[in-house]
Amino acid sequence: MLKVLKFGGTSVGTLDRIKNVAQIIKKIKDEGHDVIAVVSAMSGETNKLIEYAESFSKTPLESEMDMLLSSGERVTSALLSIALNEIGYKATSMSGREAGIVTDNSHTKARIEHIDTTNMKNAINEGKIIIVAGFQGVTEQSRVTTLGRGGSDLTAVAIAGAIHADVCEIYTDVDGIYTTDPRIEPKAKKLDKISYDEMLELASLGAKVLQNRSVEMAKKLNVNLVSRSSFTPEIEGTLITKEENIMEKPLVSGIALDKNQVRVGMYGVTDKPGIAANIFTALADANINVDMIVQTVGVDGKTDLDFTIPKTDWEICKKMMTKFEEQSENIDYNEKICKVSIVGVGMKSHTGVASKAFAALANENINIRIISTSEIKISMIIEEKYAELAVRALHEAYDLDK
Ligand code: ADP
Ligand code: ASP
Ligand code: MG
Protein backbone atom coordinates (compact mmCIF):
# COMPACT_ATOMS: atom_id res chain seq x y z
CA MET A 1 0.00 0.00 0.00
CA LEU A 2 1.02 3.63 -0.47
CA LYS A 3 0.24 5.59 2.66
CA VAL A 4 0.32 9.35 3.10
CA LEU A 5 0.80 10.22 6.78
CA LYS A 6 0.60 13.68 8.28
CA PHE A 7 2.10 14.68 11.62
CA GLY A 8 0.83 17.90 13.22
CA GLY A 9 2.63 20.45 15.40
CA THR A 10 2.39 18.66 18.74
CA SER A 11 3.37 15.36 17.14
CA VAL A 12 6.70 16.94 16.11
CA GLY A 13 6.78 19.47 18.97
CA THR A 14 10.10 18.34 20.52
CA LEU A 15 13.13 16.38 19.35
CA ASP A 16 11.85 13.36 21.29
CA ARG A 17 8.48 13.64 19.58
CA ILE A 18 10.25 13.68 16.19
CA LYS A 19 12.10 10.50 17.20
CA ASN A 20 8.74 8.99 18.11
CA VAL A 21 7.39 9.87 14.66
CA ALA A 22 10.44 8.23 13.07
CA GLN A 23 9.51 5.05 14.96
CA ILE A 24 5.88 5.18 13.74
CA ILE A 25 7.11 5.54 10.15
CA LYS A 26 9.70 2.78 10.62
CA LYS A 27 6.98 0.39 11.77
CA ILE A 28 4.74 1.17 8.78
CA LYS A 29 7.68 0.81 6.37
CA ASP A 30 8.63 -2.52 8.00
CA GLU A 31 5.08 -3.74 7.33
CA GLY A 32 5.93 -3.32 3.63
CA HIS A 33 4.16 -0.05 2.82
CA ASP A 34 5.46 2.92 0.87
CA VAL A 35 5.33 6.12 2.90
CA ILE A 36 5.01 9.81 2.15
CA ALA A 37 4.94 11.76 5.41
CA VAL A 38 3.84 15.39 5.56
CA VAL A 39 4.95 17.41 8.57
CA SER A 40 3.90 20.62 10.31
CA ALA A 41 6.20 23.06 12.01
CA MET A 42 7.00 22.27 15.65
CA SER A 43 4.07 23.45 17.79
CA GLY A 44 4.17 27.16 18.57
CA GLU A 45 6.70 27.84 15.82
CA THR A 46 4.29 29.39 13.29
CA ASN A 47 2.78 31.66 15.96
CA LYS A 48 6.25 32.70 17.07
CA LEU A 49 7.22 33.66 13.52
CA ILE A 50 3.98 35.66 13.12
CA GLU A 51 4.78 37.54 16.33
CA TYR A 52 8.27 38.30 15.07
CA ALA A 53 6.84 39.79 11.89
CA GLU A 54 4.19 41.76 13.78
CA SER A 55 6.85 43.31 15.96
CA PHE A 56 7.92 45.13 12.79
CA SER A 57 4.57 45.67 11.08
CA LYS A 58 0.83 45.17 11.73
CA THR A 59 0.32 44.59 8.00
CA PRO A 60 3.43 42.82 6.72
CA LEU A 61 3.65 41.98 3.01
CA GLU A 62 1.89 38.66 2.55
CA SER A 63 4.53 37.32 0.18
CA GLU A 64 7.15 37.92 2.87
CA MET A 65 4.96 36.20 5.46
CA ASP A 66 4.90 33.14 3.23
CA MET A 67 8.68 33.12 2.91
CA LEU A 68 8.91 33.37 6.70
CA LEU A 69 6.22 30.89 7.74
CA SER A 70 7.13 28.16 5.25
CA SER A 71 10.50 27.85 6.98
CA GLY A 72 8.91 26.20 10.04
CA GLU A 73 7.84 23.06 8.22
CA ARG A 74 11.13 22.83 6.33
CA VAL A 75 12.96 22.52 9.64
CA THR A 76 10.86 19.56 10.77
CA SER A 77 10.97 17.79 7.41
CA ALA A 78 14.76 17.86 7.38
CA LEU A 79 15.05 16.82 11.05
CA LEU A 80 12.70 13.88 10.59
CA SER A 81 14.57 12.76 7.49
CA ILE A 82 17.87 12.96 9.38
CA ALA A 83 16.38 10.90 12.22
CA LEU A 84 15.16 8.21 9.81
CA ASN A 85 18.46 7.98 7.93
CA GLU A 86 20.22 7.61 11.27
CA ILE A 87 18.19 4.49 12.12
CA GLY A 88 18.99 2.97 8.74
CA TYR A 89 16.03 4.03 6.58
CA LYS A 90 16.51 5.83 3.27
CA ALA A 91 14.54 9.06 3.59
CA THR A 92 14.53 12.32 1.67
CA SER A 93 12.91 15.61 2.64
CA MET A 94 11.14 17.78 0.07
CA SER A 95 9.95 21.38 0.20
CA GLY A 96 6.59 22.19 -1.39
CA ARG A 97 8.44 23.10 -4.57
CA GLU A 98 10.32 19.77 -4.73
CA ALA A 99 7.09 17.90 -4.06
CA GLY A 100 5.67 19.62 -7.17
CA ILE A 101 2.95 21.62 -5.41
CA VAL A 102 1.87 24.55 -7.58
CA THR A 103 -0.59 27.10 -6.21
CA ASP A 104 -2.33 30.30 -7.26
CA ASN A 105 -0.95 33.70 -6.22
CA SER A 106 -3.10 34.36 -3.13
CA HIS A 107 -0.34 34.58 -0.59
CA THR A 108 -1.11 33.25 2.93
CA LYS A 109 -4.31 31.53 1.70
CA ALA A 110 -3.10 29.98 -1.56
CA ARG A 111 -5.08 27.29 -3.37
CA ILE A 112 -3.35 24.27 -4.84
CA GLU A 113 -3.73 24.26 -8.63
CA HIS A 114 -1.90 21.06 -9.45
CA ILE A 115 0.74 18.68 -8.17
CA ASP A 116 3.48 17.32 -10.40
CA THR A 117 4.16 13.98 -8.73
CA THR A 118 7.26 13.07 -10.80
CA ASN A 119 9.84 13.69 -8.04
CA MET A 120 7.78 11.87 -5.44
CA LYS A 121 7.16 8.89 -7.74
CA ASN A 122 10.87 8.62 -8.56
CA ALA A 123 11.82 8.66 -4.89
CA ILE A 124 9.21 6.01 -4.04
CA ASN A 125 10.54 3.83 -6.89
CA GLU A 126 13.98 4.12 -5.33
CA GLY A 127 12.52 2.76 -2.10
CA LYS A 128 12.79 6.07 -0.26
CA ILE A 129 10.56 7.44 2.45
CA ILE A 130 9.52 10.98 1.50
CA ILE A 131 9.14 13.70 4.11
CA VAL A 132 7.27 16.69 2.69
CA ALA A 133 7.28 20.10 4.38
CA GLY A 134 3.55 20.80 4.75
CA PHE A 135 1.54 24.02 4.40
CA GLN A 136 3.37 25.34 1.32
CA GLY A 137 3.69 25.42 -2.43
CA VAL A 138 5.02 27.73 -5.12
CA THR A 139 3.31 29.90 -7.72
CA GLU A 140 3.90 29.46 -11.46
CA GLN A 141 6.46 32.26 -11.00
CA SER A 142 8.23 30.19 -8.33
CA ARG A 143 7.29 32.40 -5.38
CA VAL A 144 6.70 30.52 -2.11
CA THR A 145 3.10 30.45 -0.88
CA THR A 146 1.36 29.03 2.19
CA LEU A 147 -2.04 27.37 2.34
CA GLY A 148 -3.71 29.01 5.36
CA ARG A 149 -3.55 28.00 9.03
CA GLY A 150 -3.68 24.26 9.54
CA GLY A 151 -2.69 23.88 5.88
CA SER A 152 -0.45 20.83 6.33
CA ASP A 153 -3.64 18.75 6.45
CA LEU A 154 -4.41 20.06 2.97
CA THR A 155 -0.90 19.23 1.72
CA ALA A 156 -1.37 15.63 2.88
CA VAL A 157 -4.83 15.17 1.37
CA ALA A 158 -3.87 16.83 -1.92
CA ILE A 159 -0.80 14.61 -2.29
CA ALA A 160 -2.82 11.51 -1.39
CA GLY A 161 -5.33 12.44 -4.09
CA ALA A 162 -2.75 13.31 -6.75
CA ILE A 163 -0.64 10.20 -6.25
CA HIS A 164 -3.63 7.88 -5.68
CA ALA A 165 -2.50 6.77 -2.22
CA ASP A 166 -4.52 4.03 -0.55
CA VAL A 167 -5.05 6.05 2.62
CA CYS A 168 -4.26 9.43 4.16
CA GLU A 169 -3.74 9.25 7.92
CA ILE A 170 -3.69 12.52 9.88
CA TYR A 171 -1.77 11.96 13.14
CA THR A 172 -2.49 14.48 15.86
CA ASP A 173 -2.74 14.70 19.67
CA VAL A 174 -6.21 13.14 19.98
CA ASP A 175 -7.07 9.65 18.78
CA GLY A 176 -9.84 10.62 16.37
CA ILE A 177 -12.86 12.82 15.80
CA TYR A 178 -14.99 13.26 18.92
CA THR A 179 -18.58 14.43 19.38
CA THR A 180 -17.03 17.70 20.50
CA ASP A 181 -13.59 18.98 21.47
CA PRO A 182 -12.61 16.57 24.29
CA ARG A 183 -10.62 19.38 25.91
CA ILE A 184 -13.91 21.25 26.49
CA GLU A 185 -16.16 18.28 27.28
CA PRO A 186 -14.29 15.30 28.74
CA LYS A 187 -17.45 13.22 28.27
CA ALA A 188 -17.15 13.57 24.47
CA LYS A 189 -17.20 10.24 22.62
CA LYS A 190 -14.94 9.16 19.79
CA LEU A 191 -16.70 8.43 16.51
CA ASP A 192 -15.72 5.36 14.43
CA LYS A 193 -16.84 7.04 11.24
CA ILE A 194 -18.13 10.41 10.14
CA SER A 195 -19.32 11.62 6.73
CA TYR A 196 -17.31 14.09 4.67
CA ASP A 197 -20.16 16.60 4.83
CA GLU A 198 -20.50 16.52 8.60
CA MET A 199 -16.74 16.73 9.05
CA LEU A 200 -16.61 19.63 6.62
CA GLU A 201 -19.24 21.51 8.63
CA LEU A 202 -17.53 20.76 11.97
CA ALA A 203 -14.16 21.87 10.58
CA SER A 204 -15.59 25.03 9.01
CA LEU A 205 -17.42 25.84 12.24
CA GLY A 206 -14.32 25.73 14.41
CA ALA A 207 -13.26 22.11 15.09
CA LYS A 208 -9.61 22.58 14.21
CA VAL A 209 -8.86 18.85 14.38
CA LEU A 210 -8.94 18.90 10.55
CA GLN A 211 -8.54 21.93 8.31
CA ASN A 212 -11.82 22.49 6.43
CA ARG A 213 -10.24 22.81 3.00
CA SER A 214 -8.53 19.45 3.46
CA VAL A 215 -11.89 17.79 4.13
CA GLU A 216 -13.41 19.47 1.09
CA MET A 217 -10.55 18.17 -1.04
CA ALA A 218 -10.80 14.67 0.46
CA LYS A 219 -14.46 14.56 -0.51
CA LYS A 220 -13.78 15.83 -4.01
CA LEU A 221 -10.93 13.41 -4.67
CA ASN A 222 -12.47 10.53 -2.74
CA VAL A 223 -9.50 10.18 -0.39
CA ASN A 224 -9.79 7.64 2.46
CA LEU A 225 -9.10 10.00 5.33
CA VAL A 226 -8.32 8.82 8.86
CA SER A 227 -7.79 10.94 11.99
CA ARG A 228 -5.64 9.27 14.69
CA SER A 229 -3.03 9.93 17.36
CA SER A 230 0.77 9.87 17.22
CA PHE A 231 0.73 9.47 21.02
CA THR A 232 -1.26 6.21 20.84
CA PRO A 233 -0.66 4.98 17.27
CA GLU A 234 -1.93 1.50 18.17
CA ILE A 235 -5.49 2.86 18.60
CA GLU A 236 -7.68 2.90 15.47
CA GLY A 237 -8.82 6.42 14.65
CA THR A 238 -11.90 7.83 12.94
CA LEU A 239 -12.62 7.22 9.25
CA ILE A 240 -13.98 10.17 7.30
CA THR A 241 -15.99 8.69 4.46
CA LYS A 242 -19.03 8.91 2.18
CA GLU A 243 -22.40 9.20 3.88
CA GLU A 244 -23.62 5.93 2.31
CA ASN A 245 -20.81 4.02 4.07
CA ILE A 246 -22.27 4.93 7.44
CA MET A 247 -25.08 2.65 8.58
CA GLU A 248 -26.17 4.38 11.74
CA LYS A 249 -26.98 8.01 11.16
CA PRO A 250 -27.25 9.93 14.42
CA LEU A 251 -29.51 12.97 14.51
CA VAL A 252 -26.62 15.11 15.69
CA SER A 253 -23.00 13.99 15.26
CA GLY A 254 -21.12 16.78 16.89
CA ILE A 255 -20.85 20.24 18.42
CA ALA A 256 -18.32 22.82 17.26
CA LEU A 257 -17.08 26.02 18.86
CA ASP A 258 -15.47 28.97 17.10
CA LYS A 259 -14.00 31.78 19.16
CA ASN A 260 -12.28 33.37 16.19
CA GLN A 261 -15.24 35.64 15.37
CA VAL A 262 -15.98 39.35 15.47
CA ARG A 263 -19.45 40.80 15.11
CA VAL A 264 -19.65 43.93 13.01
CA GLY A 265 -22.73 46.09 13.66
CA MET A 266 -23.76 48.85 11.25
CA TYR A 267 -26.55 50.96 12.64
CA GLY A 268 -28.81 53.38 10.82
CA VAL A 269 -27.76 52.26 7.39
CA THR A 270 -29.58 53.96 4.48
CA ASP A 271 -32.26 51.46 3.45
CA LYS A 272 -32.12 51.44 -0.34
CA PRO A 273 -31.25 48.87 -3.01
CA GLY A 274 -27.55 48.31 -3.63
CA ILE A 275 -26.12 49.25 -0.20
CA ALA A 276 -25.67 45.66 1.01
CA ALA A 277 -24.29 44.73 -2.40
CA ASN A 278 -21.69 47.51 -2.17
CA ILE A 279 -20.58 46.58 1.34
CA PHE A 280 -20.33 42.85 0.77
CA THR A 281 -18.69 43.21 -2.64
CA ALA A 282 -16.02 45.40 -1.05
CA LEU A 283 -15.47 42.82 1.71
CA ALA A 284 -15.31 39.97 -0.80
CA ASP A 285 -12.79 41.89 -2.92
CA ALA A 286 -10.62 42.24 0.18
CA ASN A 287 -10.80 38.43 0.58
CA ILE A 288 -12.72 38.74 3.87
CA ASN A 289 -14.85 35.75 4.70
CA VAL A 290 -18.21 37.09 5.86
CA ASP A 291 -20.16 34.50 7.78
CA MET A 292 -23.53 35.24 9.38
CA ILE A 293 -25.51 38.22 8.10
CA VAL A 294 -28.65 39.71 9.64
CA GLN A 295 -30.55 42.75 8.42
CA THR A 296 -33.38 44.13 10.53
CA VAL A 297 -36.61 45.49 9.09
CA GLY A 298 -36.15 49.07 7.90
CA VAL A 299 -37.78 51.95 9.82
CA ASP A 300 -37.90 55.53 8.44
CA GLY A 301 -35.58 54.65 5.59
CA LYS A 302 -32.92 53.25 7.95
CA THR A 303 -31.94 49.70 8.80
CA ASP A 304 -29.37 47.83 10.92
CA LEU A 305 -26.93 45.35 9.46
CA ASP A 306 -25.03 42.79 11.56
CA PHE A 307 -22.48 40.32 10.29
CA THR A 308 -19.56 38.25 11.54
CA ILE A 309 -16.03 37.90 10.21
CA PRO A 310 -12.96 35.94 11.37
CA LYS A 311 -10.88 37.80 13.98
CA THR A 312 -7.88 37.44 11.69
CA ASP A 313 -9.58 39.68 9.10
CA TRP A 314 -10.50 42.37 11.62
CA GLU A 315 -7.74 44.88 10.77
CA ILE A 316 -8.45 44.77 7.03
CA CYS A 317 -12.19 44.92 7.67
CA LYS A 318 -11.88 48.07 9.81
CA LYS A 319 -9.88 49.72 7.06
CA MET A 320 -12.52 48.73 4.49
CA MET A 321 -15.45 49.93 6.57
CA THR A 322 -14.16 53.51 6.70
CA LYS A 323 -15.50 53.77 3.14
CA PHE A 324 -19.02 53.20 4.44
CA GLU A 325 -18.97 55.52 7.44
CA GLU A 326 -21.05 58.09 5.58
CA GLN A 327 -23.77 55.59 4.74
CA SER A 328 -24.45 54.62 8.36
CA GLU A 329 -24.88 56.36 11.70
CA ASN A 330 -22.55 54.11 13.64
CA ILE A 331 -20.31 51.08 13.10
CA ASP A 332 -19.16 49.00 16.05
CA TYR A 333 -17.23 45.79 16.64
CA ASN A 334 -17.71 43.13 19.30
CA GLU A 335 -15.05 40.46 19.64
CA LYS A 336 -16.39 39.04 22.90
CA ILE A 337 -18.65 36.64 21.05
CA CYS A 338 -18.37 33.08 19.82
CA LYS A 339 -20.26 30.70 17.58
CA VAL A 340 -21.55 27.33 18.77
CA SER A 341 -22.91 24.93 16.19
CA ILE A 342 -24.57 21.56 16.08
CA VAL A 343 -24.00 19.35 13.08
CA GLY A 344 -25.71 16.18 11.89
CA VAL A 345 -27.00 14.65 8.66
CA GLY A 346 -29.97 13.28 10.61
CA MET A 347 -31.34 16.84 10.80
CA LYS A 348 -32.35 16.62 7.15
CA SER A 349 -35.20 14.27 8.01
CA HIS A 350 -36.17 15.20 11.57
CA THR A 351 -38.00 18.08 13.18
CA GLY A 352 -37.47 19.60 16.61
CA VAL A 353 -33.68 19.64 16.41
CA ALA A 354 -33.39 23.43 16.55
CA SER A 355 -35.92 23.93 19.34
CA LYS A 356 -33.95 21.50 21.51
CA ALA A 357 -30.81 23.60 21.04
CA PHE A 358 -32.58 26.85 21.90
CA ALA A 359 -34.15 25.26 24.99
CA ALA A 360 -30.79 23.90 26.17
CA LEU A 361 -29.23 27.37 26.00
CA ALA A 362 -32.28 29.04 27.54
CA ASN A 363 -31.99 26.63 30.47
CA GLU A 364 -28.53 28.00 31.15
CA ASN A 365 -29.78 31.57 30.72
CA ILE A 366 -27.66 32.06 27.63
CA ASN A 367 -28.94 34.67 25.21
CA ILE A 368 -28.69 33.88 21.48
CA ARG A 369 -27.72 36.91 19.36
CA ILE A 370 -27.75 35.51 15.81
CA ILE A 371 -28.96 32.17 14.44
CA SER A 372 -28.23 30.63 11.08
CA THR A 373 -29.10 27.20 9.74
CA SER A 374 -28.38 24.97 6.78
CA GLU A 375 -29.55 21.47 5.91
CA ILE A 376 -27.17 19.79 8.36
CA LYS A 377 -26.20 22.50 10.86
CA ILE A 378 -27.52 25.13 13.26
CA SER A 379 -25.16 27.91 14.37
CA MET A 380 -25.71 30.41 17.15
CA ILE A 381 -23.76 33.50 18.14
CA ILE A 382 -23.58 33.96 21.91
CA GLU A 383 -21.42 35.84 24.42
CA GLU A 384 -17.93 34.41 24.56
CA LYS A 385 -17.98 33.92 28.34
CA TYR A 386 -20.66 31.23 27.90
CA ALA A 387 -18.75 29.31 25.21
CA GLU A 388 -17.76 26.18 27.12
CA LEU A 389 -20.99 26.08 29.13
CA ALA A 390 -23.01 26.18 25.91
CA VAL A 391 -20.99 23.37 24.33
CA ARG A 392 -21.52 21.14 27.36
CA ALA A 393 -25.23 21.97 27.58
CA LEU A 394 -25.79 21.13 23.92
CA HIS A 395 -23.69 17.97 24.17
CA GLU A 396 -25.93 16.78 26.97
CA ALA A 397 -29.17 17.87 25.32
CA TYR A 398 -28.53 15.60 22.32
CA ASP A 399 -27.31 12.71 24.53
CA LEU A 400 -23.92 12.72 22.83
CA ASP A 401 -22.26 11.38 25.98
CA LYS A 402 -24.39 8.23 25.87
P1 ADP B 1 -2.30 19.39 14.83
O1 ADP B 1 -1.30 20.30 15.46
O2 ADP B 1 -1.91 17.95 14.94
O3 ADP B 1 -2.69 19.78 13.46
P2 ADP B 1 -4.63 20.63 15.96
O4 ADP B 1 -4.28 21.32 17.25
O5 ADP B 1 -4.76 21.43 14.74
O6 ADP B 1 -3.58 19.46 15.76
O7 ADP B 1 -5.98 19.80 16.16
C1 ADP B 1 -6.12 18.89 17.22
C2 ADP B 1 -7.02 19.47 18.30
O8 ADP B 1 -8.33 19.66 17.80
C3 ADP B 1 -7.23 18.59 19.50
O9 ADP B 1 -6.19 18.72 20.42
C4 ADP B 1 -8.59 19.03 20.05
O10 ADP B 1 -8.46 19.87 21.16
C5 ADP B 1 -9.18 19.84 18.91
N1 ADP B 1 -10.55 19.44 18.55
C6 ADP B 1 -11.56 20.32 18.32
N2 ADP B 1 -12.70 19.68 18.03
C7 ADP B 1 -12.41 18.35 18.06
C8 ADP B 1 -13.21 17.18 17.85
N3 ADP B 1 -14.50 17.24 17.53
N4 ADP B 1 -12.58 15.97 17.97
C9 ADP B 1 -11.27 15.90 18.29
N5 ADP B 1 -10.49 16.98 18.51
C10 ADP B 1 -11.04 18.20 18.40
N1 ASP C 1 2.24 25.33 10.85
C1 ASP C 1 1.02 25.78 10.23
C2 ASP C 1 0.05 26.31 11.28
O1 ASP C 1 0.38 26.33 12.45
C3 ASP C 1 0.39 24.72 9.36
C4 ASP C 1 -0.02 23.45 10.08
O2 ASP C 1 0.43 23.16 11.18
O3 ASP C 1 -0.80 22.70 9.49
O4 ASP C 1 -1.01 26.74 10.93
MG1 MG D 1 -4.09 21.22 12.70
Side-chain angles (χ1 to χ4, degrees), residues 57-209:
S57 165
K58 273 273 162 252
T59 47
L61 272 181
E62 291 183 326
S63 51
E64 295 307 330
M65 285 310 284
D66 280 349
M67 189 66 182
L68 178 68
L69 299 189
S70 58
S71 67
E73 340 305 274
R74 292 180 66 141
V75 170
T76 27
S77 63
L79 286 174
L80 179 55
S81 175
I82 290 170
L84 279 161
N85 279 291
E86 184 62 20
I87 56 173
Y89 288 74
K90 279 193 290 176
T92 180
S93 62
M94 290 188 186
S95 63
R97 180 200 312 274
E98 288 166 298
I101 301 174
V102 178
T103 72
D104 65 10
N105 293 316
S106 13
H107 285 285
T108 76
K109 317 181 178 170
R111 291 193 164 268
I112 297 178
E113 289 192 330
H114 66 268
I115 301 184
D116 176 355
T117 55
T118 316
N119 276 348
M120 288 192 284
K121 280 186 180 145
N122 289 341
I124 293 281
N125 289 338
E126 289 164 19
K128 287 183 180 154
I129 296 167
I130 303 171
I131 316 291
V132 179
F135 176 54
Q136 59 192 279
V138 285
T139 65
E140 293 285 1
Q141 296 75 36
S142 266
R143 290 290 293 172
V144 176
T145 50
T146 62
L147 309 176
R149 295 309 302 266
S152 298
D153 293 343
L154 180 61
T155 305
V157 171
I159 289 177
I163 209 158
H164 305 293
D166 297 281
V167 67
C168 178
E169 298 186 331
I170 309 288
Y171 285 82
T172 181
D173 53 7
V174 280
D175 57 12
I177 310 299
Y178 279 71
T179 47
T180 193
D181 189 338
R183 292 180 209 286
I184 297 175
E185 174 51 282
K187 287 189 227 150
K189 289 270 179 298
K190 192 175 92 185
L191 303 164
D192 293 332
K193 291 181 183 176
I194 185 167
S195 67
Y196 290 121
D197 288 331
E198 287 169 308
M199 191 63 236
L200 182 56
E201 287 286 6
L202 285 174
S204 305
L205 295 167
K208 69 166 184 168
V209 60

Side-chain angles (χ1 to χ4, degrees), residues 121-363:
K121 280 186 180 145
N122 289 341
I124 293 281
N125 289 338
E126 289 164 19
K128 287 183 180 154
I129 296 167
I130 303 171
I131 316 291
V132 179
F135 176 54
Q136 59 192 279
V138 285
T139 65
E140 293 285 1
Q141 296 75 36
S142 266
R143 290 290 293 172
V144 176
T145 50
T146 62
L147 309 176
R149 295 309 302 266
S152 298
D153 293 343
L154 180 61
T155 305
V157 171
I159 289 177
I163 209 158
H164 305 293
D166 297 281
V167 67
C168 178
E169 298 186 331
I170 309 288
Y171 285 82
T172 181
D173 53 7
V174 280
D175 57 12
I177 310 299
Y178 279 71
T179 47
T180 193
D181 189 338
R183 292 180 209 286
I184 297 175
E185 174 51 282
K187 287 189 227 150
K189 289 270 179 298
K190 192 175 92 185
L191 303 164
D192 293 332
K193 291 181 183 176
I194 185 167
S195 67
Y196 290 121
D197 288 331
E198 287 169 308
M199 191 63 236
L200 182 56
E201 287 286 6
L202 285 174
S204 305
L205 295 167
K208 69 166 184 168
V209 60
L210 286 174
Q211 189 220 29
N212 60 350
R213 281 166 59 189
S214 74
V215 182
E216 191 177 35
M217 170 106 40
K219 182 183 175 190
K220 195 169 104 193
L221 303 180
N222 232 324
V223 172
N224 281 313
L225 188 61
V226 174
S227 162
R228 60 192 306 168
S229 169
S230 70
F231 290 75
T232 49
E234 66 288 354
I235 297 179
E236 293 276 326
T238 302
L239 175 67
I240 297 103
T241 185
K242 288 185 193 157
E243 195 179 319
E244 56 259 37
N245 295 339
I246 301 172
M247 299 286 280
E248 235 182 293
K249 292 192 179 62
L251 195 58
V252 169
S253 296
I255 316 279
L257 172 64
D258 185 356
K259 289 186 172 176
N260 177 38
Q261 295 267 313
V262 178
R263 174 166 156 243
V264 186
M266 293 183 77
Y267 305 101
V269 184
T270 318
D271 194 12
K272 66 170 197 213
I275 296 279
N278 286 347
I279 295 169
F280 293 111
T281 306
L283 292 167
D285 289 345
N287 228 333
I288 298 172
N289 235 324
V290 177
D291 184 19
M292 293 162 122
I293 304 174
V294 181
Q295 184 178 338
T296 45
V297 181
V299 180
D300 299 335
K302 301 273 177 195
T303 183
D304 295 340
L305 201 55
D306 263 314
F307 56 93
T308 63
I309 54 161
K311 254 178 211 163
T312 37
D313 290 339
W314 195 5
E315 286 296 327
I316 324 172
C317 181
K318 269 198 233 167
K319 234 189 228 170
M320 284 286 332
M321 295 308 284
T322 53
K323 286 193 207 161
F324 298 102
E325 272 164 2
E326 280 179 6
Q327 279 149 37
S328 66
E329 283 159 12
N330 182 30
I331 301 177
D332 77 11
Y333 299 90
N334 182 357
E335 90 267 34
K336 294 204 164 48
I337 55 148
C338 67
K339 179 169 67 182
V340 279
S341 309
I342 57 183
V343 172
V345 283
M347 267 181 227
K348 285 189 214 171
S349 48
H350 285 81
T351 55
V353 182
S355 56
K356 191 176 255 186
F358 305 151
L361 296 192
N363 257 336

Side-chain angles (χ1 to χ4, degrees), residues 367-391:
N367 205 6
I368 305 171
R369 304 289 186 77
I370 306 180
I371 301 170
S372 85
T373 63
S374 78
E375 217 182 14
I376 65 165
K377 72 123 203 273
I378 300 162
S379 293
M380 293 157 286
I381 297 286
I382 60 169
E383 265 186 85
E384 189 172 31
K385 65 178 178 193
Y386 297 123
E388 286 78 15
L389 177 64
V391 168

